[in-house]
PDB file of all heavy atoms in Angstrom:
ATOM      1  N   GLU A   1      35.628 -17.986  12.109  1.00  0.00           N
ATOM      2  CA  GLU A   1      35.287 -19.242  12.788  1.00  0.00           C
ATOM      3  C   GLU A   1      36.001 -20.405  12.103  1.00  0.00           C
ATOM      4  O   GLU A   1      36.111 -20.460  10.871  1.00  0.00           O
ATOM      5  CB  GLU A   1      33.779 -19.458  12.786  1.00  0.00           C
ATOM      6  CG  GLU A   1      33.329 -20.600  13.681  1.00  0.00           C
ATOM      7  CD  GLU A   1      31.839 -20.549  13.982  1.00  0.00           C
ATOM      8  OE1 GLU A   1      31.429 -19.668  14.775  1.00  0.00           O
ATOM      9  OE2 GLU A   1      31.095 -21.364  13.416  1.00  0.00           O
ATOM     10  N   TYR A   2      36.458 -21.355  12.915  1.00  0.00           N
ATOM     11  CA  TYR A   2      37.259 -22.460  12.419  1.00  0.00           C
ATOM     12  C   TYR A   2      36.724 -23.811  12.906  1.00  0.00           C
ATOM     13  O   TYR A   2      36.183 -23.918  14.006  1.00  0.00           O
ATOM     14  CB  TYR A   2      38.711 -22.325  12.907  1.00  0.00           C
ATOM     15  CG  TYR A   2      39.405 -21.100  12.403  1.00  0.00           C
ATOM     16  CD1 TYR A   2      39.288 -19.883  13.082  1.00  0.00           C
ATOM     17  CD2 TYR A   2      40.168 -21.132  11.243  1.00  0.00           C
ATOM     18  CE1 TYR A   2      39.922 -18.745  12.617  1.00  0.00           C
ATOM     19  CE2 TYR A   2      40.812 -19.999  10.771  1.00  0.00           C
ATOM     20  CZ  TYR A   2      40.684 -18.813  11.456  1.00  0.00           C
ATOM     21  OH  TYR A   2      41.300 -17.688  10.997  1.00  0.00           O
ATOM     22  N   LYS A   3      36.916 -24.797  12.063  1.00  0.00           N
ATOM     23  CA  LYS A   3      36.741 -26.194  12.472  1.00  0.00           C
ATOM     24  C   LYS A   3      38.109 -26.687  12.892  1.00  0.00           C
ATOM     25  O   LYS A   3      39.073 -26.625  12.121  1.00  0.00           O
ATOM     26  CB  LYS A   3      36.201 -27.020  11.304  1.00  0.00           C
ATOM     27  CG  LYS A   3      36.089 -28.502  11.576  1.00  0.00           C
ATOM     28  CD  LYS A   3      35.495 -29.240  10.381  1.00  0.00           C
ATOM     29  CE  LYS A   3      36.426 -29.207   9.183  1.00  0.00           C
ATOM     30  NZ  LYS A   3      35.918 -29.990   8.035  1.00  0.00           N
ATOM     31  N   ALA A   4      38.220 -27.168  14.118  1.00  0.00           N
ATOM     32  CA  ALA A   4      39.524 -27.547  14.648  1.00  0.00           C
ATOM     33  C   ALA A   4      39.477 -28.948  15.254  1.00  0.00           C
ATOM     34  O   ALA A   4      38.471 -29.362  15.834  1.00  0.00           O
ATOM     35  CB  ALA A   4      39.975 -26.544  15.707  1.00  0.00           C
ATOM     36  N   THR A   5      40.582 -29.643  15.123  1.00  0.00           N
ATOM     37  CA  THR A   5      40.753 -30.937  15.782  1.00  0.00           C
ATOM     38  C   THR A   5      42.063 -30.887  16.540  1.00  0.00           C
ATOM     39  O   THR A   5      43.112 -30.539  15.971  1.00  0.00           O
ATOM     40  CB  THR A   5      40.794 -32.086  14.757  1.00  0.00           C
ATOM     41  OG1 THR A   5      39.603 -32.065  13.976  1.00  0.00           O
ATOM     42  CG2 THR A   5      40.903 -33.431  15.462  1.00  0.00           C
ATOM     43  N   TYR A   6      41.995 -31.215  17.824  1.00  0.00           N
ATOM     44  CA  TYR A   6      43.187 -31.226  18.660  1.00  0.00           C
ATOM     45  C   TYR A   6      43.248 -32.563  19.384  1.00  0.00           C
ATOM     46  O   TYR A   6      42.354 -32.902  20.161  1.00  0.00           O
ATOM     47  CB  TYR A   6      43.148 -30.073  19.669  1.00  0.00           C
ATOM     48  CG  TYR A   6      44.300 -30.062  20.645  1.00  0.00           C
ATOM     49  CD1 TYR A   6      45.610 -29.908  20.203  1.00  0.00           C
ATOM     50  CD2 TYR A   6      44.083 -30.204  22.011  1.00  0.00           C
ATOM     51  CE1 TYR A   6      46.667 -29.907  21.090  1.00  0.00           C
ATOM     52  CE2 TYR A   6      45.134 -30.194  22.905  1.00  0.00           C
ATOM     53  CZ  TYR A   6      46.428 -30.049  22.447  1.00  0.00           C
ATOM     54  OH  TYR A   6      47.480 -30.045  23.330  1.00  0.00           O
ATOM     55  N   LYS A   7      44.275 -33.360  19.071  1.00  0.00           N
ATOM     56  CA  LYS A   7      44.419 -34.698  19.637  1.00  0.00           C
ATOM     57  C   LYS A   7      43.146 -35.515  19.450  1.00  0.00           C
ATOM     58  O   LYS A   7      42.625 -36.121  20.378  1.00  0.00           O
ATOM     59  CB  LYS A   7      44.821 -34.617  21.110  1.00  0.00           C
ATOM     60  CG  LYS A   7      46.216 -34.052  21.321  1.00  0.00           C
ATOM     61  CD  LYS A   7      46.633 -34.101  22.777  1.00  0.00           C
ATOM     62  CE  LYS A   7      48.070 -33.582  22.930  1.00  0.00           C
ATOM     63  NZ  LYS A   7      48.506 -33.594  24.352  1.00  0.00           N
ATOM     64  N   GLU A   8      42.611 -35.465  18.212  1.00  0.00           N
ATOM     65  CA  GLU A   8      41.443 -36.223  17.767  1.00  0.00           C
ATOM     66  C   GLU A   8      40.126 -35.744  18.370  1.00  0.00           C
ATOM     67  O   GLU A   8      39.083 -36.348  18.137  1.00  0.00           O
ATOM     68  CB  GLU A   8      41.624 -37.719  18.035  1.00  0.00           C
ATOM     69  CG  GLU A   8      42.838 -38.322  17.325  1.00  0.00           C
ATOM     70  CD  GLU A   8      42.931 -39.815  17.497  1.00  0.00           C
ATOM     71  OE1 GLU A   8      42.149 -40.385  18.287  1.00  0.00           O
ATOM     72  OE2 GLU A   8      43.808 -40.424  16.846  1.00  0.00           O
ATOM     73  N   GLU A   9      40.148 -34.666  19.131  1.00  0.00           N
ATOM     74  CA  GLU A   9      38.915 -34.097  19.670  1.00  0.00           C
ATOM     75  C   GLU A   9      38.482 -32.921  18.790  1.00  0.00           C
ATOM     76  O   GLU A   9      39.268 -32.016  18.542  1.00  0.00           O
ATOM     77  CB  GLU A   9      39.096 -33.628  21.113  1.00  0.00           C
ATOM     78  CG  GLU A   9      39.324 -34.755  22.102  1.00  0.00           C
ATOM     79  CD  GLU A   9      39.284 -34.258  23.538  1.00  0.00           C
ATOM     80  OE1 GLU A   9      38.537 -33.296  23.815  1.00  0.00           O
ATOM     81  OE2 GLU A   9      39.998 -34.826  24.377  1.00  0.00           O
ATOM     82  N   PRO A  10      37.216 -32.910  18.323  1.00  0.00           N
ATOM     83  CA  PRO A  10      36.748 -31.815  17.449  1.00  0.00           C
ATOM     84  C   PRO A  10      36.286 -30.598  18.253  1.00  0.00           C
ATOM     85  O   PRO A  10      35.679 -30.734  19.316  1.00  0.00           O
ATOM     86  CB  PRO A  10      35.579 -32.456  16.706  1.00  0.00           C
ATOM     87  CG  PRO A  10      35.028 -33.463  17.679  1.00  0.00           C
ATOM     88  CD  PRO A  10      36.215 -33.987  18.454  1.00  0.00           C
ATOM     89  N   TYR A  11      36.559 -29.431  17.718  1.00  0.00           N
ATOM     90  CA  TYR A  11      36.138 -28.172  18.331  1.00  0.00           C
ATOM     91  C   TYR A  11      35.679 -27.210  17.243  1.00  0.00           C
ATOM     92  O   TYR A  11      36.121 -27.284  16.091  1.00  0.00           O
ATOM     93  CB  TYR A  11      37.294 -27.508  19.095  1.00  0.00           C
ATOM     94  CG  TYR A  11      37.759 -28.238  20.322  1.00  0.00           C
ATOM     95  CD1 TYR A  11      38.748 -29.202  20.240  1.00  0.00           C
ATOM     96  CD2 TYR A  11      37.210 -27.953  21.566  1.00  0.00           C
ATOM     97  CE1 TYR A  11      39.184 -29.879  21.373  1.00  0.00           C
ATOM     98  CE2 TYR A  11      37.635 -28.620  22.708  1.00  0.00           C
ATOM     99  CZ  TYR A  11      38.630 -29.589  22.606  1.00  0.00           C
ATOM    100  OH  TYR A  11      39.052 -30.252  23.720  1.00  0.00           O
ATOM    101  N   THR A  12      34.788 -26.296  17.623  1.00  0.00           N
ATOM    102  CA  THR A  12      34.506 -25.113  16.816  1.00  0.00           C
ATOM    103  C   THR A  12      35.163 -23.946  17.532  1.00  0.00           C
ATOM    104  O   THR A  12      34.907 -23.703  18.715  1.00  0.00           O
ATOM    105  CB  THR A  12      32.995 -24.866  16.678  1.00  0.00           C
ATOM    106  OG1 THR A  12      32.403 -25.978  16.000  1.00  0.00           O
ATOM    107  CG2 THR A  12      32.729 -23.602  15.887  1.00  0.00           C
ATOM    108  N   VAL A  13      36.017 -23.250  16.826  1.00  0.00           N
ATOM    109  CA  VAL A  13      36.801 -22.167  17.422  1.00  0.00           C
ATOM    110  C   VAL A  13      36.466 -20.867  16.710  1.00  0.00           C
ATOM    111  O   VAL A  13      36.497 -20.808  15.481  1.00  0.00           O
ATOM    112  CB  VAL A  13      38.316 -22.451  17.302  1.00  0.00           C
ATOM    113  CG1 VAL A  13      39.122 -21.326  17.938  1.00  0.00           C
ATOM    114  CG2 VAL A  13      38.655 -23.792  17.945  1.00  0.00           C
ATOM    115  N   ARG A  14      36.132 -19.853  17.465  1.00  0.00           N
ATOM    116  CA  ARG A  14      35.794 -18.555  16.871  1.00  0.00           C
ATOM    117  C   ARG A  14      36.606 -17.455  17.530  1.00  0.00           C
ATOM    118  O   ARG A  14      36.577 -17.282  18.745  1.00  0.00           O
ATOM    119  CB  ARG A  14      34.304 -18.269  17.032  1.00  0.00           C
ATOM    120  CG  ARG A  14      33.891 -16.883  16.538  1.00  0.00           C
ATOM    121  CD  ARG A  14      32.386 -16.785  16.442  1.00  0.00           C
ATOM    122  NE  ARG A  14      31.932 -15.411  16.469  1.00  0.00           N
ATOM    123  CZ  ARG A  14      30.834 -14.966  15.888  1.00  0.00           C
ATOM    124  NH1 ARG A  14      30.060 -15.809  15.230  1.00  0.00           N
ATOM    125  NH2 ARG A  14      30.477 -13.714  15.959  1.00  0.00           N
ATOM    126  N   TYR A  15      37.348 -16.712  16.706  1.00  0.00           N
ATOM    127  CA  TYR A  15      38.065 -15.522  17.138  1.00  0.00           C
ATOM    128  C   TYR A  15      37.232 -14.297  16.772  1.00  0.00           C
ATOM    129  O   TYR A  15      36.639 -14.251  15.696  1.00  0.00           O
ATOM    130  CB  TYR A  15      39.399 -15.387  16.402  1.00  0.00           C
ATOM    131  CG  TYR A  15      40.435 -16.440  16.653  1.00  0.00           C
ATOM    132  CD1 TYR A  15      40.582 -17.518  15.769  1.00  0.00           C
ATOM    133  CD2 TYR A  15      41.297 -16.352  17.730  1.00  0.00           C
ATOM    134  CE1 TYR A  15      41.562 -18.474  15.963  1.00  0.00           C
ATOM    135  CE2 TYR A  15      42.286 -17.307  17.931  1.00  0.00           C
ATOM    136  CZ  TYR A  15      42.409 -18.364  17.045  1.00  0.00           C
ATOM    137  OH  TYR A  15      43.386 -19.309  17.236  1.00  0.00           O
ATOM    138  N   SER A  16      37.223 -13.289  17.636  1.00  0.00           N
ATOM    139  CA  SER A  16      36.528 -12.049  17.300  1.00  0.00           C
ATOM    140  C   SER A  16      37.101 -10.881  18.094  1.00  0.00           C
ATOM    141  O   SER A  16      37.707 -11.071  19.151  1.00  0.00           O
ATOM    142  CB  SER A  16      35.016 -12.177  17.573  1.00  0.00           C
ATOM    143  OG  SER A  16      34.770 -12.522  18.929  1.00  0.00           O
ATOM    144  N   VAL A  17      36.922  -9.687  17.541  1.00  0.00           N
ATOM    145  CA  VAL A  17      37.248  -8.465  18.273  1.00  0.00           C
ATOM    146  C   VAL A  17      35.932  -7.858  18.722  1.00  0.00           C
ATOM    147  O   VAL A  17      35.114  -7.450  17.897  1.00  0.00           O
ATOM    148  CB  VAL A  17      38.038  -7.474  17.399  1.00  0.00           C
ATOM    149  CG1 VAL A  17      38.292  -6.178  18.164  1.00  0.00           C
ATOM    150  CG2 VAL A  17      39.370  -8.084  16.972  1.00  0.00           C
ATOM    151  N   ILE A  18      35.704  -7.819  20.032  1.00  0.00           N
ATOM    152  CA  ILE A  18      34.385  -7.461  20.554  1.00  0.00           C
ATOM    153  C   ILE A  18      34.330  -6.074  21.178  1.00  0.00           C
ATOM    154  O   ILE A  18      33.263  -5.630  21.608  1.00  0.00           O
ATOM    155  CB  ILE A  18      33.911  -8.511  21.580  1.00  0.00           C
ATOM    156  CG1 ILE A  18      34.917  -8.624  22.732  1.00  0.00           C
ATOM    157  CG2 ILE A  18      33.705  -9.865  20.896  1.00  0.00           C
ATOM    158  CD1 ILE A  18      34.445  -9.508  23.879  1.00  0.00           C
ATOM    159  N   GLY A  19      35.447  -5.377  21.249  1.00  0.00           N
ATOM    160  CA  GLY A  19      35.414  -4.053  21.845  1.00  0.00           C
ATOM    161  C   GLY A  19      36.768  -3.373  21.796  1.00  0.00           C
ATOM    162  O   GLY A  19      37.785  -4.005  21.494  1.00  0.00           O
ATOM    163  N   GLU A  20      36.755  -2.085  22.086  1.00  0.00           N
ATOM    164  CA  GLU A  20      37.974  -1.280  22.122  1.00  0.00           C
ATOM    165  C   GLU A  20      37.914  -0.340  23.316  1.00  0.00           C
ATOM    166  O   GLU A  20      36.846   0.102  23.725  1.00  0.00           O
ATOM    167  CB  GLU A  20      38.120  -0.457  20.833  1.00  0.00           C
ATOM    168  CG  GLU A  20      38.263  -1.282  19.568  1.00  0.00           C
ATOM    169  CD  GLU A  20      38.310  -0.412  18.320  1.00  0.00           C
ATOM    170  OE1 GLU A  20      37.888   0.766  18.410  1.00  0.00           O
ATOM    171  OE2 GLU A  20      38.765  -0.896  17.272  1.00  0.00           O
ATOM    172  N   GLU A  21      39.080  -0.045  23.887  1.00  0.00           N
ATOM    173  CA  GLU A  21      39.162   0.975  24.930  1.00  0.00           C
ATOM    174  C   GLU A  21      40.605   1.443  25.034  1.00  0.00           C
ATOM    175  O   GLU A  21      41.511   0.854  24.426  1.00  0.00           O
ATOM    176  CB  GLU A  21      38.642   0.455  26.270  1.00  0.00           C
ATOM    177  CG  GLU A  21      39.411  -0.688  26.884  1.00  0.00           C
ATOM    178  CD  GLU A  21      38.830  -1.088  28.237  1.00  0.00           C
ATOM    179  OE1 GLU A  21      37.875  -1.886  28.254  1.00  0.00           O
ATOM    180  OE2 GLU A  21      39.341  -0.591  29.256  1.00  0.00           O
ATOM    181  N   SER A  22      40.811   2.502  25.787  1.00  0.00           N
ATOM    182  CA  SER A  22      42.138   3.064  25.952  1.00  0.00           C
ATOM    183  C   SER A  22      42.494   3.098  27.436  1.00  0.00           C
ATOM    184  O   SER A  22      41.658   3.467  28.265  1.00  0.00           O
ATOM    185  CB  SER A  22      42.188   4.487  25.375  1.00  0.00           C
ATOM    186  OG  SER A  22      43.450   5.070  25.582  1.00  0.00           O
ATOM    187  N   ARG A  23      43.721   2.702  27.753  1.00  0.00           N
ATOM    188  CA  ARG A  23      44.208   2.764  29.121  1.00  0.00           C
ATOM    189  C   ARG A  23      45.599   3.368  29.109  1.00  0.00           C
ATOM    190  O   ARG A  23      46.474   2.900  28.382  1.00  0.00           O
ATOM    191  CB  ARG A  23      44.239   1.371  29.763  1.00  0.00           C
ATOM    192  CG  ARG A  23      42.860   0.783  29.983  1.00  0.00           C
ATOM    193  CD  ARG A  23      42.896  -0.465  30.840  1.00  0.00           C
ATOM    194  NE  ARG A  23      41.562  -1.006  31.027  1.00  0.00           N
ATOM    195  CZ  ARG A  23      41.292  -2.079  31.769  1.00  0.00           C
ATOM    196  NH1 ARG A  23      42.273  -2.724  32.397  1.00  0.00           N
ATOM    197  NH2 ARG A  23      40.047  -2.519  31.880  1.00  0.00           N
ATOM    198  N   GLY A  24      45.777   4.398  29.898  1.00  0.00           N
ATOM    199  CA  GLY A  24      47.066   5.067  29.924  1.00  0.00           C
ATOM    200  C   GLY A  24      47.438   5.678  28.596  1.00  0.00           C
ATOM    201  O   GLY A  24      48.621   5.787  28.259  1.00  0.00           O
ATOM    202  N   GLY A  25      46.429   6.057  27.820  1.00  0.00           N
ATOM    203  CA  GLY A  25      46.669   6.651  26.524  1.00  0.00           C
ATOM    204  C   GLY A  25      47.003   5.654  25.437  1.00  0.00           C
ATOM    205  O   GLY A  25      47.286   6.046  24.301  1.00  0.00           O
ATOM    206  N   LYS A  26      46.956   4.357  25.742  1.00  0.00           N
ATOM    207  CA  LYS A  26      47.292   3.337  24.754  1.00  0.00           C
ATOM    208  C   LYS A  26      46.028   2.639  24.275  1.00  0.00           C
ATOM    209  O   LYS A  26      45.233   2.158  25.094  1.00  0.00           O
ATOM    210  CB  LYS A  26      48.253   2.310  25.356  1.00  0.00           C
ATOM    211  CG  LYS A  26      48.743   1.282  24.343  1.00  0.00           C
ATOM    212  CD  LYS A  26      49.846   0.416  24.916  1.00  0.00           C
ATOM    213  CE  LYS A  26      50.399  -0.523  23.854  1.00  0.00           C
ATOM    214  NZ  LYS A  26      51.543  -1.326  24.362  1.00  0.00           N
ATOM    215  N   PRO A  27      45.796   2.562  22.954  1.00  0.00           N
ATOM    216  CA  PRO A  27      44.606   1.875  22.449  1.00  0.00           C
ATOM    217  C   PRO A  27      44.707   0.371  22.645  1.00  0.00           C
ATOM    218  O   PRO A  27      45.751  -0.233  22.393  1.00  0.00           O
ATOM    219  CB  PRO A  27      44.592   2.239  20.963  1.00  0.00           C
ATOM    220  CG  PRO A  27      46.010   2.537  20.634  1.00  0.00           C
ATOM    221  CD  PRO A  27      46.609   3.137  21.870  1.00  0.00           C
ATOM    222  N   LEU A  28      43.613  -0.231  23.098  1.00  0.00           N
ATOM    223  CA  LEU A  28      43.568  -1.663  23.365  1.00  0.00           C
ATOM    224  C   LEU A  28      42.309  -2.259  22.741  1.00  0.00           C
ATOM    225  O   LEU A  28      41.339  -1.557  22.477  1.00  0.00           O
ATOM    226  CB  LEU A  28      43.570  -1.935  24.872  1.00  0.00           C
ATOM    227  CG  LEU A  28      44.749  -1.364  25.670  1.00  0.00           C
ATOM    228  CD1 LEU A  28      44.456  -1.449  27.163  1.00  0.00           C
ATOM    229  CD2 LEU A  28      46.033  -2.103  25.333  1.00  0.00           C
ATOM    230  N   GLN A  29      42.337  -3.565  22.513  1.00  0.00           N
ATOM    231  CA  GLN A  29      41.194  -4.264  21.952  1.00  0.00           C
ATOM    232  C   GLN A  29      40.810  -5.450  22.831  1.00  0.00           C
ATOM    233  O   GLN A  29      41.680  -6.134  23.382  1.00  0.00           O
ATOM    234  CB  GLN A  29      41.512  -4.776  20.544  1.00  0.00           C
ATOM    235  CG  GLN A  29      41.665  -3.689  19.497  1.00  0.00           C
ATOM    236  CD  GLN A  29      42.043  -4.275  18.153  1.00  0.00           C
ATOM    237  OE1 GLN A  29      43.066  -4.931  18.011  1.00  0.00           O
ATOM    238  NE2 GLN A  29      41.211  -4.062  17.149  1.00  0.00           N
ATOM    239  N   TRP A  30      39.494  -5.669  22.924  1.00  0.00           N
ATOM    240  CA  TRP A  30      38.998  -6.877  23.573  1.00  0.00           C
ATOM    241  C   TRP A  30      38.891  -7.966  22.501  1.00  0.00           C
ATOM    242  O   TRP A  30      38.111  -7.849  21.569  1.00  0.00           O
ATOM    243  CB  TRP A  30      37.633  -6.635  24.207  1.00  0.00           C
ATOM    244  CG  TRP A  30      37.695  -6.028  25.570  1.00  0.00           C
ATOM    245  CD1 TRP A  30      37.435  -4.733  25.913  1.00  0.00           C
ATOM    246  CD2 TRP A  30      38.041  -6.708  26.785  1.00  0.00           C
ATOM    247  NE1 TRP A  30      37.597  -4.552  27.263  1.00  0.00           N
ATOM    248  CE2 TRP A  30      37.969  -5.754  27.831  1.00  0.00           C
ATOM    249  CE3 TRP A  30      38.402  -8.019  27.095  1.00  0.00           C
ATOM    250  CZ2 TRP A  30      38.247  -6.076  29.157  1.00  0.00           C
ATOM    251  CZ3 TRP A  30      38.687  -8.348  28.417  1.00  0.00           C
ATOM    252  CH2 TRP A  30      38.606  -7.381  29.430  1.00  0.00           C
ATOM    253  N   VAL A  31      39.704  -8.991  22.643  1.00  0.00           N
ATOM    254  CA  VAL A  31      39.713 -10.102  21.699  1.00  0.00           C
ATOM    255  C   VAL A  31      39.134 -11.334  22.382  1.00  0.00           C
ATOM    256  O   VAL A  31      39.521 -11.676  23.510  1.00  0.00           O
ATOM    257  CB  VAL A  31      41.149 -10.397  21.210  1.00  0.00           C
ATOM    258  CG1 VAL A  31      41.159 -11.581  20.255  1.00  0.00           C
ATOM    259  CG2 VAL A  31      41.721  -9.170  20.526  1.00  0.00           C
ATOM    260  N   GLU A  32      38.186 -11.968  21.718  1.00  0.00           N
ATOM    261  CA  GLU A  32      37.510 -13.138  22.298  1.00  0.00           C
ATOM    262  C   GLU A  32      37.857 -14.401  21.520  1.00  0.00           C
ATOM    263  O   GLU A  32      37.893 -14.403  20.296  1.00  0.00           O
ATOM    264  CB  GLU A  32      35.998 -12.933  22.299  1.00  0.00           C
ATOM    265  CG  GLU A  32      35.231 -14.136  22.856  1.00  0.00           C
ATOM    266  CD  GLU A  32      33.725 -13.955  22.832  1.00  0.00           C
ATOM    267  OE1 GLU A  32      33.220 -13.215  23.699  1.00  0.00           O
ATOM    268  OE2 GLU A  32      33.070 -14.533  21.935  1.00  0.00           O
ATOM    269  N   LEU A  33      38.092 -15.461  22.251  1.00  0.00           N
ATOM    270  CA  LEU A  33      38.233 -16.788  21.679  1.00  0.00           C
ATOM    271  C   LEU A  33      37.172 -17.676  22.307  1.00  0.00           C
ATOM    272  O   LEU A  33      37.129 -17.842  23.531  1.00  0.00           O
ATOM    273  CB  LEU A  33      39.616 -17.361  21.970  1.00  0.00           C
ATOM    274  CG  LEU A  33      39.843 -18.824  21.593  1.00  0.00           C
ATOM    275  CD1 LEU A  33      39.608 -19.050  20.102  1.00  0.00           C
ATOM    276  CD2 LEU A  33      41.236 -19.274  21.975  1.00  0.00           C
ATOM    277  N   ARG A  34      36.299 -18.216  21.472  1.00  0.00           N
ATOM    278  CA  ARG A  34      35.231 -19.110  21.954  1.00  0.00           C
ATOM    279  C   ARG A  34      35.473 -20.504  21.394  1.00  0.00           C
ATOM    280  O   ARG A  34      35.594 -20.675  20.183  1.00  0.00           O
ATOM    281  CB  ARG A  34      33.865 -18.586  21.520  1.00  0.00           C
ATOM    282  CG  ARG A  34      32.696 -19.371  22.100  1.00  0.00           C
ATOM    283  CD  ARG A  34      31.377 -18.742  21.679  1.00  0.00           C
ATOM    284  NE  ARG A  34      31.114 -18.966  20.264  1.00  0.00           N
ATOM    285  CZ  ARG A  34      30.264 -18.224  19.548  1.00  0.00           C
ATOM    286  NH1 ARG A  34      29.656 -17.184  20.099  1.00  0.00           N
ATOM    287  NH2 ARG A  34      30.047 -18.490  18.276  1.00  0.00           N
ATOM    288  N   MET A  35      35.543 -21.481  22.270  1.00  0.00           N
ATOM    289  CA  MET A  35      35.770 -22.867  21.868  1.00  0.00           C
ATOM    290  C   MET A  35      34.601 -23.730  22.313  1.00  0.00           C
ATOM    291  O   MET A  35      34.214 -23.697  23.486  1.00  0.00           O
ATOM    292  CB  MET A  35      37.061 -23.411  22.495  1.00  0.00           C
ATOM    293  CG  MET A  35      38.313 -22.692  22.061  1.00  0.00           C
ATOM    294  SD  MET A  35      39.793 -23.295  22.921  1.00  0.00           S
ATOM    295  CE  MET A  35      39.724 -25.036  22.545  1.00  0.00           C
TER     296      MET A  35
END
């Protein structure tokens, strides 16, 4: 989780990996960004 300021506007930004699955034999991840 991050404290962020963009053009003088404050945000709380959180990155997370919330899940995994495979499609076509390729491993994939569900990545979430919450602002």
Side-chain angles (χ1 to χ4, degrees):
E1 190 163 287
Y2 297 86
K3 175 178 67 176
T5 303
Y6 176 62
K7 293 185 177 179
E8 300 185 352
E9 293 189 32
Y11 293 89
T12 298
V13 181
R14 175 168 159 151
Y15 295 97
S16 57
V17 177
I18 58 173
E20 297 176 342
E21 63 178 85
S22 177
R23 292 191 180 182
K26 185 171 185 176
L28 303 168
Q29 291 177 301
W30 276 104
V31 178
E32 178 181 284
L33 172 59
R34 186 177 72 200
M35 297 176 56

